[in-house]
Amino acid sequence: MAPKAAAYFYGRLFAENPHLRSMFPPAMDIQRERLFGALARMVWSVDSPEGMAGYLGQLGRDHRKYGVAPEHYGAVGRALVATVRRFAAEVWDDEVEAAWVSAYGVAAGLMLDAARADATVTPAWWTAEVVGHELRHRDIAVLTLRPSQPFPYLPGQHVTVQTPRWPRVWRTFSIANAPREDNTITLHVRSVPGGWVSTTLTRDTRVGDTVMLGRATGMMTRGEEDTRDLLCVAGGTGLAPLKAIVEDVVASGRRPDIHLLFGARTQPELYDLPDLMRLQSSFPWLRVLPVVSDDGSFRGMRGRLPEVVRRFRSWSDHDVYVCGPSGMVDETVRALQEDGVPPARIRLDAAVTTC
């Protein structure tokens, strides 16, 4: 039902507002899932607008990079109501329609207010020059970007990236460093099959090229008041935000014990291990443990990260950060909760599926 409803929604939106089609990417599959899911979440949460204010505000601020204007919200709202009317015809009446219209109005108002406020302090998007590009593995590149203006973010957050080759196609990547004085940021990018942006960034991007950045978002950040020891569990390029958090702790002067489990399928995919070893040598409270699951020649610890987590003493007194493939994250979280780690101390960011 959801794919058909999403297709109907966009068909209705573009039929009544053909000029809006140019604001969307050529391929609409991912866009259908993201935008229609967000719209549904907005409306179904009308009974708790306070709890949704942060989400809606972030959504409104983030949509600035697409060129969304106030009048576009009305067009989207009309297409949404028409879609729900069609696919919920058996329960639809004037009262239900009024409720949906009211719910969308509240949500759109929160998004518009946040976008207007954000426009007074930050640009809708940033241009950034590629100042470093290292192909660390056949499918993994480490890119260093220099935004043209100050780029605010917190360690653990992610950023959306658009390349000149694929206009209007934005993809999300975690920032792999704590803020630097030179304003540069580093991204760890794995090329995925069919990934337009990831493949362009790993294989076709060179030093001197320019990309566009959306604003930094994400809730997997560390509070200044946090004093507990840390466990960081990173699968593949899920290392990026966890490395940023570790760098931030090192720079802060605090001295918690940090265990960083960095997992990959094969040894060559431990693409950032030399840099992690240098970081460990400068910070005695950090222990980096590389883990390989599918390489019998690897002489270090072998196994899957969720299993390896169980081999140690209890982590129940730690703050835990987990990032990587969704299956690994889910299994690791279950293992930690069975170990007694309170859910409030396990931090991950569901917005980044590949991190």
Side-chain angles (χ1 to χ4, degrees), residues 199-223:
T199 300
T200 297
L201 290 175
T202 54
R203 301 177 186 175
D204 302 313
T205 298
R206 302 290 182 267
V207 171
D209 290 349
T210 299
V211 298
M212 293 171 61
L213 306 176
R215 69 191 329 275
T217 60
M219 301 300 291
M220 193 178 66
T221 57
R222 183 166 171 79

Side-chain angles (χ1 to χ4, degrees), residues 32-345:
R32 286 192 185 100
E33 295 175 8
R34 290 179 176 175
L35 185 55
F36 196 74
L39 289 169
R41 179 176 173 180
M42 287 190 312
V43 175
W44 285 117
S45 301
V46 67
D47 291 334
S48 56
E50 301 83 4
M52 287 299 294
Y55 169 75
L56 293 170
Q58 181 57 59
L59 206 60
R61 290 186 290 269
D62 191 55
H63 275 73
R64 291 181 56 221
K65 70 175 181 282
Y66 297 105
V68 176
E71 59 270 19
H72 298 151
Y73 284 87
V76 169
R78 290 190 294 274
L80 176 64
V81 171
T83 301
V84 180
R85 182 191 302 121
R86 178 182 178 88
F87 287 87
E90 67 280 1
V91 297
W92 196 261
D93 57 26
D94 291 343
E95 184 177 352
V96 172
E97 179 161 340
W100 275 81
V101 170
S102 175
Y104 179 79
V106 170
L110 290 170
M111 294 174 65
L112 276 167
D113 289 345
R116 291 190 184 104
D118 193 58
T120 65
V121 293
T122 65
W125 42 264
W126 288 254
T127 58
E129 180 186 1
V130 179
V131 296
H133 188 286
E134 301 175 58
L135 192 63
R136 300 275 183 89
H137 179 266
R138 65 177 181 273
D139 294 324
I140 303 174
V142 173
L143 285 76
T144 302
L145 311 176
R146 180 180 291 119
S148 57
Q149 302 178 59
F151 185 76
Y153 70 95
L154 297 174
Q157 290 190 311
H158 50 261
V159 61
T160 50
V161 179
Q162 177 183 280
T163 64
R165 175 170 291 190
W166 300 111
R168 304 184 305 282
V169 179
W170 296 85
R171 292 295 181 265
T172 302
F173 302 95
S174 292
I175 301 171
N177 61 282
R180 300 167 175 152
E181 291 186 2
D182 65 1
N183 195 42
T184 60
I185 64 172
T186 295
L187 307 179
H188 296 178
V189 181
R190 178 187 289 273
S191 177
V192 299
W196 296 358
V197 176
S198 64
T199 300
T200 297
L201 290 175
T202 54
R203 301 177 186 175
D204 302 313
T205 298
R206 302 290 182 267
V207 171
D209 290 349
T210 299
V211 298
M212 293 171 61
L213 306 176
R215 69 191 329 275
T217 60
M219 301 300 291
M220 193 178 66
T221 57
R222 183 166 171 79
E224 292 183 2
E225 72 285 356
D226 295 339
T227 59
R228 283 180 286 270
D229 292 339
L230 274 67
L231 168 65
C232 298
V233 184
T237 51
L239 171 68
L242 307 189
K243 186 180 181 184
I245 289 170
V246 170
E247 284 188 1
D248 183 57
V249 172
V250 171
S252 72
R254 299 190 297 272
R255 296 293 181 264
D257 287 333
I258 305 174
H259 286 77
L260 171 58
L261 276 58
F262 176 32
R265 290 169 297 183
T266 64
Q267 183 171 352
E269 291 174 276
L270 296 172
Y271 64 92
D272 204 42
L273 194 55
D275 199 46
L276 292 177
M277 292 296 104
R278 286 191 290 271
L279 185 61
Q280 177 179 259
S281 67
S282 68
F283 189 74
W285 295 269
L286 170 64
R287 182 186 178 190
V288 176
L289 180 64
V291 180
V292 167
S293 62
D294 300 336
D295 187 344
S297 64
F298 183 63
R299 295 186 177 181
M301 182 163 288
R302 302 214 304 263
R304 298 170 61 250
L305 282 172
E307 301 164 354
V308 172
V309 165
R310 298 177 186 268
R311 298 178 190 174
F312 295 84
R313 58 181 174 80
S314 175
W315 304 107
S316 60
D317 57 349
H318 286 58
D319 284 334
V320 183
Y321 297 82
V322 187
C323 191
S326 58
M328 181 280 289
V329 171
D330 292 343
E331 286 189 53
T332 301
V333 169
R334 283 196 294 271
L336 291 165
Q337 290 179 335
E338 291 171 2
D339 180 46
V341 181
R345 292 187 193 168

Side-chain angles (χ1 to χ4, degrees), residues 9-20:
F9 166 79
Y10 279 104
R12 181 90 179 211
L13 178 65
F14 296 149
E16 296 183 357
N17 309 273
H19 62 286
L20 295 183

